[in-house]
Amino acid sequence: MSIKIAVIGLGYVGLPLARLFATKYPVVGFDINSNRIQELNEGIDSTLEIDAETLNNVLVSSLSDSNGLLCSNTLEDIANCTYYIVTVPTPVDKNNRPDLTPLYKSSETVGKVLKKGDIVIYESTVYPGVTEEECIPVLEKVSGLKFNVDFFAGYSPERINPGDKEHTVEKILKVTSGSTPEIGQKVNDLYKSVITAGTHLAPSIKVAEAAKVIENSQRDINIAFVNELAKIFNLLEIDTHAVLEAAGTKWNFLPFKPGLVGGHCIGVDPYYLAQKAQEKGYHPEIILAGRRLNDSMGEYVASQVVKLMIKKGVAINGAKLLMLGITFKENCPDVRNTKIVDVVHALQDYGIEVTIFDPWARPSEVHHEYKLTTTDELPTATFDAIVLGVAHKEFTTIDLSKLKKSNGVLFDVKGVLKEKADGRL
């Protein structure tokens, strides 16, 4: 069987993967967003994961048997592919319940073109069982084909770290799996052919699904622990960062720092594992406790800022505050599930006027997602308080003293500013 790959979903995960596979195979990058397809065909990646030169080096206008990447939103363009790799988001709804809608819809799309002998690989983060119990039935229903007889499946969880130019997709070891031992080996060989860091073939799809969801749940719990320490040490008037630095001199101390836990993985994945556990009659305690604590940090940061403002004699109602950053992490334009929004809303509840400055975030995207107004140009006014919420590299070179009133407050959420802050986590 000749290898021709379709990557379904060209976001932070799908595009880097499609680009990498396209260096060795013919690849169709499929996305329902026509604007996204147009910008990619012009060599522009708004997620900033792939630079224009690298993208243009693999782009092709039509697909042949040689390597190259064709970006398309036309179903017919993926009809002749033999591998379908699904890399769509797996969010939670307003009640923090897993929303599998993108997976269902992408499975319907693949089902329309699925042929005998094809292999469908899912990369989206899910709870154990989603691939075989939720996605496969959709593929069978739409295609009319029988699973593990006519077509096969695999699961290889994404490990993309948005904005990280060091740990790129080919440099991160890849977990793989298949619906049969033979298919598992085929899936593993496919990824091994482009992943220089190597692969790990899991014994089953469910093991691979579980491995992914606990990676981020583990980080979430560890960050929740240091966030709780930050709350305790603030009450004791002890510098949390100094404590962590001292404790970090022990060889096996884990270097986690307090902060706001957002994004499309760490702030979401634990809910997927909790959902599956609850379906089986088990109520997870540590996982959900960590989530509750981390979800409370936005309001906690706002309350700490307000307390500092009161101590300095700043009138809270009508006060002007500059928020530095709105993305969920530094040096990245991704605003999905950013917890800075929680801080902003809490500050606004106090009657504070918040100006949001972020040179990385697109104002139109922020407004679409959160109905918040942002600017990508540094304001020239002075403020009663400044909160550094995201550690963008640009923020470390700004002379904040020119933006802060004489009795103004400077709060450093990330603990990265060179100048002395009035408070930090």
Side-chain angles (χ1 to χ4, degrees):
M1 179 178 70
S2 63
I3 295 176
K4 189 171 289 187
I5 301 169
V7 176
I8 314 299
L10 295 177
Y12 286 86
V13 174
L15 181 63
L17 185 69
R19 195 284 311 172
L20 178 61
F21 272 126
T23 61
K24 190 163 185 176
Y25 305 103
V27 178
V28 181
F30 181 87
D31 200 294
I32 59 174
N33 186 335
S34 58
N35 291 332
R36 175 71 168 156
I37 295 301
Q38 181 179 344
E39 85 174 6
L40 290 176
N41 282 325
E42 293 172 355
I44 301 169
D45 172 26
S46 59
T47 69
L48 305 182
E49 291 299 302
I50 307 294
D51 63 77
E53 182 180 358
T54 303
L55 183 55
N56 282 316
N57 282 340
V58 296
L59 283 176
V60 294
S61 56
S62 61
L63 208 60
S64 62
D65 292 330
S66 59
N67 61 307
L69 173 62
L70 172 67
C71 295
S72 173
N73 61 343
T74 303
L75 189 64
E76 288 74 19
D77 286 335
I78 62 172
N80 294 322
C81 292
T82 53
Y83 284 86
Y84 295 89
I85 303 178
V86 178
T87 61
V88 297
T90 43
V92 293
D93 62 20
K94 62 180 181 181
N95 298 313
N96 291 323
R97 293 178 61 86
D99 179 6
L100 300 179
T101 303
L103 274 179
Y104 292 142
K105 289 188 176 299
S106 59
S107 296
E108 289 174 0
T109 297
V110 173
K112 293 175 182 177
V113 294
L114 200 60
K115 308 170 298 301
K116 287 189 176 183
D118 288 350
I119 298 174
V120 185
I121 305 168
Y122 289 88
E123 288 215 0
S124 307
T125 302
V126 293
Y127 54 77
V130 166
T131 299
E132 293 157 299
E133 297 165 15
E134 301 289 342
C135 299
I136 295 304
V138 176
L139 292 173
E140 286 187 315
K141 181 180 179 180
V142 176
S143 69
L145 301 175
K146 189 170 179 59
F147 177 50
N148 275 345
V149 175
D150 299 318
F151 74 94
F152 304 89
Y155 182 78
S156 181
E158 61 90 1
R159 282 176 166 171
I160 292 289
N161 187 25
D164 190 337
K165 303 308 177 188
E166 180 180 353
H167 301 97
T168 50
V169 59
E170 67 271 22
K171 298 177 183 176
I172 303 172
L173 194 141
K174 204 84 165 69
V175 174
T176 63
S177 64
S179 54
T180 69
E182 180 186 9
I183 295 303
Q185 194 59 59
K186 284 188 175 182
V187 171
N188 192 67
D189 289 345
L190 180 70
Y191 282 98
K192 186 183 284 187
S193 68
V194 293
I195 303 293
T196 56
T199 58
H200 172 87
L201 178 56
S204 70
I205 286 176
K206 286 184 179 179
V207 167
E209 290 171 326
K212 168 58 180 177
V213 80
I214 71 165
E215 288 176 19
N216 290 325
S217 297
Q218 182 187 66
R219 283 187 59 79
D220 194 42
I221 291 167
N222 277 303
I223 297 171
F225 172 59
V226 293
N227 275 338
E228 188 161 64
L229 292 180
K231 289 184 176 183
I232 294 170
F233 293 145
N234 281 344
L235 290 172
L236 298 176
E237 298 183 348
I238 299 173
D239 186 334
T240 303
H241 290 262
V243 173
L244 293 174
E245 183 179 357
T249 59
K250 189 167 187 279
W251 75 92
N252 60 351
F253 185 83
L254 300 178
F256 287 91
K257 294 181 180 180
L260 302 169
V261 185
H264 60 105
C265 286
I266 301 177
V268 172
D269 296 355
Y271 289 121
Y272 274 74
L273 185 56
Q275 167 78 9
K276 191 61 176 179
Q278 289 167 338
E279 286 179 4
K280 295 297 183 181
Y282 179 79
H283 182 76
E285 297 183 34
I286 294 176
I287 293 171
L288 291 180
R291 274 286 76 230
R292 284 193 297 272
L293 196 144
N294 284 339
D295 277 346
S296 74
M297 291 305 291
E299 192 164 330
Y300 176 75
V301 167
S303 68
Q304 294 299 107
V305 172
V306 169
K307 286 179 182 179
L308 290 169
M309 293 170 71
I310 292 172
K311 286 181 180 179
K312 285 202 168 188
V314 178
I316 302 302
N317 192 22
K320 299 185 184 302
L321 181 145
L322 175 62
M323 174 63 70
L324 297 176
I326 188 69
T327 62
F328 94 89
K329 66 176 294 186
E330 65 275 6
N331 307 323
C332 171
D334 195 350
V335 299
R336 289 176 295 174
N337 195 36
T338 173
K339 294 304 177 182
I340 300 296
V341 171
D342 294 352
V343 183
V344 171
H345 288 159
L347 290 168
Q348 290 174 334
D349 286 343
Y350 283 104
I352 297 173
E353 297 178 18
V354 181
T355 297
I356 305 169
F357 165 58
D358 194 316
W360 285 80
R362 288 189 292 182
S364 59
E365 186 177 351
V366 176
H367 188 267
H368 177 265
E369 290 289 329
Y370 305 108
K371 299 298 185 288
L372 290 173
T373 300
T374 63
T375 178
D376 51 13
E377 295 184 5
L378 183 64
T380 57
T382 56
F383 296 87
D384 298 298
I386 299 175
V387 176
L388 182 133
V390 186
H392 291 320
K393 56 188 178 183
E394 289 87 348
F395 295 159
T396 60
T397 60
I398 298 174
D399 185 358
L400 297 177
S401 64
K402 294 181 178 179
L403 298 172
K404 183 168 66 75
K405 294 180 179 178
S406 58
N407 66 332
V409 166
L410 176 59
F411 194 93
D412 185 1
V413 173
K414 302 295 291 184
V416 297
L417 293 177
K418 297 175 184 177
E419 55 197 288
K420 182 175 175 57
D422 298 291
R424 61 179 180 172
L425 285 180

